[in-house]
Amino acid sequence: LADRLSDQMKQPFVVENTAGCHGGLAATHFRRASPDGYTLFLAVDTNLCVNPNLYPNLGYDPFRDFIPISVLAKVDLILVANAAVPVNSVKELIALAKAQPGKLNYAAIGLGTQQHLGMELFKLMTGTNITQINYRGTAPATTDLLSGVVQVMFTGPQAANAYKSSGKLKSLATTGDKRNPILPDVPTMDEAGVPGYRLSGWFGLLAPAKTPKPVVDRLNAEVQKAVNDPRFKNRLTAQGLEIVGNTQEQMLALMHADTKKWLDVIHKTGVKIQ
């Protein structure tokens, strides 16, 4: 995105990666940025819609401190299982989990992530008991999934496709409302027997609160142009992402809807940050 905006606006864009607190540190720093349009925040949905419901002393309020510009892209996840697990569909996985409550393990890559809350939502909607095993990152979680320490997890389309092709993992379902183009033979959750299940991560761009509307409007227009550039679209769609590029109002509505959705899941499952 920085490359495309820099080219379009003839203005250098510097990317500063700030890790910590599942994006909370970056958001807290960004809250203090000058509202002039020269400092922007590229957030994932959990920064905005999950963290405020999990962390009791969060240093920012997404609706008070930020102005949405546009959602750039979204990615649906793939429910995968170790090749040795005796199931070939979501319905068979649900049946196995109900026959052996607590015996199956799933990999949670960070508390409050899509991989974590997505599985808690799956358990809630299917009435299953699958044990959560926490990991600090995708690599160790995938290693344990391949070795059979854990049996299932949610992962990205590109990773799922690579391991599916090698026969090391089974791809059981995609979490979007339609099939993923790089995994066209993998059914949606609706098709697989869990109607209404949706799990999509997304990436959005924001400005500090009090940024003048003409500046935000200009940035939105530039983002629309950038995400529809074939160089941008081709790089992201090859990884299984879907280009969005929506309005400020649409992004704000999505933030509200996802905040409510994950707050409900957190309350019903009792998820807490230890």
Side-chain angles (χ1 to χ4, degrees):
L1 177 68
D3 181 58
R4 299 273 40 84
L5 291 178
S6 179
D7 183 59
Q8 291 170 198
M9 302 176 75
K10 310 306 178 187
Q11 172 78 32
F13 279 73
V14 177
V15 178
E16 181 179 340
N17 294 307
T18 306
C21 300
H22 300 292
L25 188 60
T28 300
H29 287 171
F30 175 70
R31 182 178 64 83
R32 297 188 285 269
S34 297
D36 55 11
Y38 283 90
T39 303
L40 306 174
F41 181 35
L42 180 57
V44 296
D45 55 314
T46 50
N47 301 154
L48 309 172
C49 306
V50 174
N51 284 2
N53 298 318
L54 274 183
Y55 291 89
N57 299 307
L58 199 64
Y60 64 95
D61 181 322
F63 298 99
R64 180 194 65 209
D65 298 327
F66 310 146
I67 297 176
I69 296 173
S70 177
V71 174
L72 310 176
K74 71 171 188 173
V75 59
D76 303 323
L77 298 184
I78 309 297
L79 179 62
V80 295
N82 178 277
V85 179
V87 302
N88 291 298
S89 68
V90 171
K91 287 183 178 179
E92 290 178 358
L93 175 65
I94 293 169
L96 180 63
K98 288 185 175 180
Q100 301 177 10
K103 294 292 182 67
L104 294 178
N105 299 322
Y106 82 88
I109 306 167
L111 295 176
T113 61
Q114 293 282 356
Q115 291 91 338
H116 170 218
L117 293 181
M119 187 58 76
E120 292 301 312
L121 177 61
F122 178 82
K123 290 162 57 179
L124 195 64
M125 292 181 66
T126 59
T128 51
N129 179 7
I130 304 174
T131 302
Q132 173 186 337
I133 307 296
N134 296 321
Y135 290 88
R136 290 185 177 272
T138 301
T142 302
T143 297
D144 276 6
L145 179 66
L146 292 169
S147 65
V149 174
V150 293
Q151 287 72 49
V152 293
M153 67 179 280
F154 280 115
T155 193
Q158 195 173 38
N161 187 43
Y163 288 111
K164 178 176 178 290
S165 301
S166 67
K168 294 180 179 179
L169 296 178
K170 302 173 184 177
S171 294
L172 303 180
T174 180
T175 62
D177 55 5
K178 58 181 178 294
R179 297 192 179 198
N180 193 288
I182 69 173
L183 289 161
D185 58 335
V186 177
T188 65
M189 281 288 190
D190 280 340
E191 295 170 327
V194 189
Y197 185 98
R198 296 289 185 276
L199 178 66
S200 295
W202 49 265
F203 306 86
L205 196 67
L206 304 101
K210 300 182 180 180
T211 300
K213 190 175 187 304
V215 174
V216 178
D217 290 343
R218 166 76 189 282
L219 289 166
N220 178 269
E222 295 290 350
V223 167
Q224 304 303 317
K225 182 179 178 181
V227 300
N228 285 293
D229 187 303
R231 288 165 290 186
F232 183 93
K233 294 179 73 171
N234 293 342
R235 288 184 67 178
L236 269 68
T237 54
Q239 298 177 59
L241 279 74
E242 179 182 341
I243 303 303
V244 179
N246 58 10
T247 66
Q248 301 157 46
E249 293 77 16
Q250 288 170 327
M251 181 174 174
L252 181 62
L254 180 60
M255 286 169 60
H256 279 294
D258 277 6
T259 296
K260 182 183 183 304
K261 171 183 176 178
W262 294 123
L263 178 61
D264 289 344
V265 172
I266 289 166
H267 280 172
K268 288 177 181 176
T269 59
V271 171
K272 292 182 179 180
I273 295 292
Q274 302 298 324

